Amino acid sequence: MAAAAAPRRDVQGPREESPPERKVYMDYNATTPLEPEVIQAITEAMWEAWGNPSSSYPAGRKAKEIINTARESLAKMIGGNPPDIIFTSGGTESNNLVIHSMVRHFRESQMAKEDGVEPLGNGAKPHFVTCTVEHDSIRLPLEHLKEDGVATVTFVPVSKVSGQAEVDDVLAAVQPTTCLVTIMLANNETGVIMHVPEISQRIKALNSRRVALGLPRILVHTDAAQALGKRRVDVEDLGVDFLTIAGHKFYGPRIGALYVRGLGELTPLHPMLFGGGQERDFRPGTENTPMIAGLGKAAELVSKNCEAYEAHMREVRDYLEARLQAEFGQKRIHLNSQFPGTERLSNTCNVSIRGPQLQGRLVLAQCRTLLASVGAACHSDLGDRPSPVLLSSGVPFDVARNALRLSVGRSTTKAEVDLVVEDLKQAVARLEGSA
């Protein structure tokens, strides 16, 4: 049989394109795709619940019913009560809302001597305690308040041994004017789990003494955006007063929510916006029913399947780290997210391949299969400067500069890990001039 003729190269016609190379996404800490069930929930809400949720006709009542069901699903996911959930545009708004509320509450409580709190003197400013590896939606609002002379802030360094904000260091930062301690539940670059339950317990014990001294009660907030969907999160275990939720981190839409313990009764919340009274006046604006429906469905899936998600991601992540060490050698691979005795997220591998020409951005630019990042998406403007999170966590400068943040997802397979490791090998070879 004659050999098949080669494709004819017609100068005037379109060129035949080679099939696209397969891509493997490993940036699930940046964002996640929507689960099919979430897309279905959003679509159905668009068709069936298009009415204004404040209206009494069927489409409005349907919208209100969907919103209430979603609120219940979110509350179940975090072990809270539905009335304590407020829908927001995302994690950034939730974080800013907490900080804004605490500034206002501090001022009002000092002026009114509420709950027996004595004034701290004219000109007293609210004081915040946080740590050096927080998301920008915590760090930047606090820095702005400090620059504007509205508040004082202590940024507690994380331990270079554990990668965590140590409980004693957080407590040592407390001042008479401290109104909020905000420590993330899990870091978005290293995956390190923080000591939030222990911090909450210590603050609660401290509050009983502070009240007796006429000092303001300290509230505790955690940004749980990165942890949700990767491990069980329970507000009773954590003991927090506020908890931030971001849907797009657990296969939901890009909206969010805020948990407030005993909203408006035990824990104060002051709106940043004023309008039609939705969300009990705490977050007015006509509700985005389809996205709320999707968020509720995503939360429902987490409640049902979290243990299975976590186990799968840990197995694939551990396989990834073993394959990297096997292919490149343990001396050449530095696992930036591994700290002895420290728990981390099941899906996160922050790794550096040692070598003077192997800066993370250069390696990713050479990759043809891998889709990943060098760190947090909000730090994408750093150029070749190393991640401040890694430097704060004790990773040496030259190692941190080579960092790749590889985060696996619910559907990532070991076969895809093999493709990624081979892709990285070829990228390194090209950069070192041996390919």
Side-chain angles (χ1 to χ4, degrees), residues 71-367:
R71 203 184 308 276
E72 291 171 1
S73 295
L74 282 169
K76 182 179 180 181
M77 177 178 69
I78 62 168
N81 296 317
D84 293 343
I85 300 291
I86 293 292
F87 292 110
T88 67
S89 63
T92 293
E93 183 187 341
S94 295
N95 287 343
N96 277 262
L97 182 55
V98 171
I99 292 168
H100 164 87
S101 292
M102 293 313 301
V103 170
R104 183 170 169 184
H105 178 68
F106 179 88
R107 289 173 172 170
E108 291 185 356
S109 63
Q110 294 310 304
M111 290 174 61
K113 300 183 184 180
E114 290 178 353
D115 301 323
V117 176
E118 293 295 329
L120 293 164
N122 291 333
K125 299 175 183 178
H127 174 248
F128 294 82
V129 177
T130 188
C131 74
T132 53
V133 299
E134 293 290 324
H135 190 270
D136 278 357
S137 59
I138 290 290
R139 180 180 65 85
L140 290 177
L142 292 177
E143 286 183 351
H144 280 291
L145 289 175
K146 185 177 180 180
E147 291 168 4
D148 293 343
V150 174
T152 59
V153 185
T154 300
F155 291 93
V156 176
V158 295
S159 166
K160 290 178 168 46
V161 176
S162 67
Q164 298 166 309
E166 297 295 352
V167 179
D168 287 343
D169 294 339
V170 172
L171 269 292
V174 168
Q175 301 176 8
T177 56
T178 301
C179 61
L180 183 73
V181 170
T182 173
I183 301 292
M184 64 187 355
L185 184 52
N187 186 262
N188 46 318
E189 294 192 36
T190 63
V192 164
I193 308 297
M194 300 292 180
H195 299 294
V196 174
E198 293 85 352
I199 291 170
S200 294
Q201 290 170 9
R202 294 278 296 275
I203 292 294
K204 184 177 180 180
L206 180 61
N207 275 335
S208 61
R209 299 195 295 272
R210 285 173 66 90
V211 170
L213 295 171
L215 297 176
R217 183 167 63 104
I218 301 170
L219 300 181
V220 179
H221 165 252
T222 191
D223 180 350
Q226 203 59 245
L228 288 163
K230 300 172 186 135
R231 70 194 310 267
R232 280 289 173 195
V233 174
D234 189 294
V235 293
E236 295 306 317
D237 293 340
L238 295 173
V240 294
D241 302 292
F242 303 99
L243 182 140
T244 290
I245 298 168
H248 75 108
K249 301 294 188 180
F250 55 96
Y251 293 72
R254 288 176 186 165
I255 63 166
L258 177 66
Y259 163 80
V260 185
R261 182 182 297 276
L263 175 60
E265 297 177 3
L266 294 177
T267 307
L269 190 71
H270 295 279
M272 291 193 296
L273 305 173
F274 298 90
Q278 294 85 356
E279 294 299 284
R280 289 158 286 166
D281 275 328
F282 293 111
R283 206 288 184 180
T286 304
E287 300 92 335
N288 190 344
T289 307
M291 295 305 109
I292 290 173
L295 185 64
K297 178 56 70 172
E300 181 185 325
L301 292 172
V302 169
S303 295
K304 290 180 179 178
N305 305 308
C306 190
E307 283 76 13
Y309 295 154
E310 184 177 10
H312 170 76
M313 289 187 287
R314 177 173 284 109
E315 181 180 1
V316 174
R317 190 273 312 277
D318 290 350
Y319 178 72
L320 168 63
E321 292 181 345
R323 289 280 287 113
L324 287 168
Q325 290 178 321
E327 291 297 332
F328 290 97
Q330 291 195 10
K331 290 185 178 180
R332 201 166 189 203
I333 289 293
H334 190 279
L335 296 172
N336 305 317
S337 50
Q338 281 193 3
F339 296 88
T342 297
E343 186 182 1
R344 58 178 169 144
L345 293 175
S346 58
N347 78 319
T348 304
C349 166
N350 195 303
V351 61
S352 294
I353 306 171
R354 297 178 188 266
Q357 301 164 300
L358 303 181
Q359 288 84 6
R361 292 184 184 279
L362 298 181
V363 172
L364 288 180
Q366 289 292 325
C367 287

Side-chain angles (χ1 to χ4, degrees), residues 1-57:
M1 182 181 291
R8 188 169 69 91
R9 297 189 178 182
D10 188 343
V11 176
Q12 311 225 327
R15 293 182 179 180
E16 290 194 7
E17 297 182 0
S18 57
E21 294 175 330
R22 181 172 179 184
K23 302 295 183 183
V24 176
Y25 183 73
M26 284 194 179
D27 206 14
Y28 288 90
N29 282 8
T31 198
T32 58
L34 297 178
E35 286 281 15
E37 295 96 324
V38 171
I39 295 174
Q40 182 180 355
I42 292 171
T43 303
E44 289 177 356
M46 286 179 169
W47 281 109
E48 300 172 9
W50 52 265
N52 190 313
S54 299
S55 300
S56 59
Y57 42 74

